[in-house]
Amino acid sequence: MKKVLEVNHLKKYYHTKKEEILSLKDISFCVYEGEILSIVGPSGCGKSTILSILCNLIPLSDGAIYQDKNYKIAYMLQEDSLLPYLTVLENCFIGLKIENHLTEQNKEYVLSLLDLYGLSDFQNKYPNQLSGGMRQRVALIRTLAVKPDILLLDEAMSALDYQSKLKIEEDIYNIIKKEGKTAILVTHDIEEAISMSDRVIVLTNRPSSIKNIYPIELQEKNGPIKNRSDLNFSKYFNIIWGDFNEKI
Ligand code: ADP
Ligand code: MG
């Protein structure tokens, strides 16, 4: 398998006026092409910090990141962060506009994604006219519009009610696999991580290091809803739940 990203001994301090906070103590992992890798850990342990460093929003304090420069990274934030005064279509075009790549061909690509994922009829609506799940799908299409190879998803589903969450997990899983993307998914939801991923990284409390990395082997991988009833699912759940509750 081809490695597209490697993180070596990453360390991160935040500096406030009063103190220095060690957020990441020692984080090392790699990401393989085509996989969905989840990072789980307790709230405040540094999950978002890792993603923000990976896409250069904030600097690292120590360690190194090796990234294949042919692979383009895109970040989808926790809140859908759609602009309320733009239509669905205009929101989806934003990344392309910023990159100065709003060509006819790319517009067609966005329209085809909207069509494929059931949003064509809503392209001229505004975000507040859509359900939470639909807004997340629009945010995902906006992220896909710039044709990234690696998607970073930060708690993308966590603000939704359970039913919408399962549906959007299924959609996002299918979109990532169908479009042949690689993804790093950050979540505090153990079930979401196991049911969506090829591997799950469990972090310790802050200052975080890696507690365990689990390859997820199910009888059959059929998408996050069906995967939840796989015989091995509860085995992984119990192990990771144990990791969460062990005092470190
Ligand atoms: P998570 O996404 O796992 O909930 P974060 O990466 O957002 O955690 O934050 C990890 C820790 O780093 C938090 O406990 C917080 O105290 C600290 N932190 C995050 N952002 C900042 C910041 N801008 N300034 C100071 N401390 C921060
Ligand atoms: Mg976070």
Side-chain angles (χ1 to χ4, degrees):
M1 268 189 296
K2 192 173 178 213
K3 246 184 230 176
V4 292
L5 196 71
E6 193 169 330
V7 174
N8 278 329
H9 301 296
L10 183 63
K11 193 179 261 213
K12 174 67 185 174
Y13 288 101
Y14 283 109
H15 298 276
T16 64
K17 274 186 187 150
K18 281 191 194 146
E19 54 180 351
E20 184 181 72
I21 299 165
L22 179 58
S23 171
L24 307 175
K25 188 167 71 179
D26 185 5
I27 303 285
S28 300
F29 65 90
C30 53
V31 185
Y32 298 104
E33 187 174 35
E35 78 168 333
I36 301 182
L37 174 72
S38 282
I39 302 178
V40 299
S43 180
C45 74
K47 302 181 293 296
S48 299
T49 302
I50 295 175
L51 293 193
S52 300
I53 292 172
L54 286 182
C55 58
N56 277 326
L57 285 179
I58 55 170
L60 48 80
S61 306
D62 200 4
I65 292 170
Y66 301 99
Q67 186 200 334
D68 189 326
K69 292 287 174 250
N70 296 315
Y71 289 78
K72 182 173 175 182
I73 292 190
Y75 195 175
M76 180 170 152
L77 299 168
Q78 181 164 348
E79 307 82 38
D80 58 51
S81 58
L82 299 175
L83 297 174
Y85 49 87
L86 296 182
T87 64
V88 164
L89 192 60
E90 289 164 342
N91 266 292
C92 289
F93 284 162
I94 267 192
L96 290 167
K97 238 181 183 169
I98 293 170
E99 287 187 349
N100 218 358
H101 282 153
L102 195 56
T103 58
E104 283 310 310
Q105 203 182 359
N106 285 333
K107 283 185 188 172
E108 285 299 319
Y109 177 60
V110 169
L111 288 168
S112 72
L113 288 173
L114 286 168
D115 186 32
L116 195 57
Y117 302 115
L119 289 160
S120 280
D121 292 346
F122 297 88
Q123 63 185 51
N124 296 319
K125 300 263 188 263
Y126 289 88
N128 67 4
Q129 297 173 292
L130 307 182
S131 69
M134 288 164 101
R135 281 202 297 273
Q136 285 304 94
R137 258 183 289 157
V138 174
L140 183 65
I141 290 171
R142 179 183 56 183
T143 314
L144 290 171
V146 297
K147 300 203 172 132
D149 304 288
I150 305 174
L151 285 166
L152 310 182
L153 303 175
D154 193 354
E155 309 260 10
M157 286 72 94
S158 69
L160 302 171
D161 63 87
Y162 191 67
Q163 215 176 346
S164 313
K165 187 176 141 91
L166 287 187
K167 279 198 196 139
I168 195 78
E169 279 174 9
E170 193 76 12
D171 285 341
I172 289 182
Y173 178 90
N174 287 327
I175 294 171
I176 291 171
K177 293 295 181 191
K178 201 186 277 169
E179 305 291 324
K181 306 292 181 192
T182 303
I184 307 179
L185 201 122
V186 152
T187 177
H188 59 261
D189 180 334
I190 302 174
E191 288 190 16
E192 180 173 291
I194 300 167
S195 63
M196 302 250 327
S197 315
D198 297 293
R199 290 187 301 144
V200 175
I201 293 180
V202 184
L203 299 181
T204 65
N205 281 317
R206 187 175 67 81
S208 62
S209 53
I210 292 187
K211 191 164 171 67
N212 278 306
I213 301 183
Y214 299 103
I216 303 297
E217 285 157 11
L218 303 179
Q219 314 283 96
E220 250 181 286
K221 295 223 171 175
N222 284 319
I225 295 179
K226 288 202 175 126
N227 287 348
R228 279 174 160 79
S229 51
D230 191 281
L231 288 175
N232 288 337
F233 184 86
S234 57
K235 178 188 86 180
Y236 288 114
F237 183 88
N238 288 330
I239 295 173
I240 296 174
W241 178 248
D243 283 346
F244 263 52
N245 289 293
E246 212 172 79
K247 285 274 169 267
I248 304 130

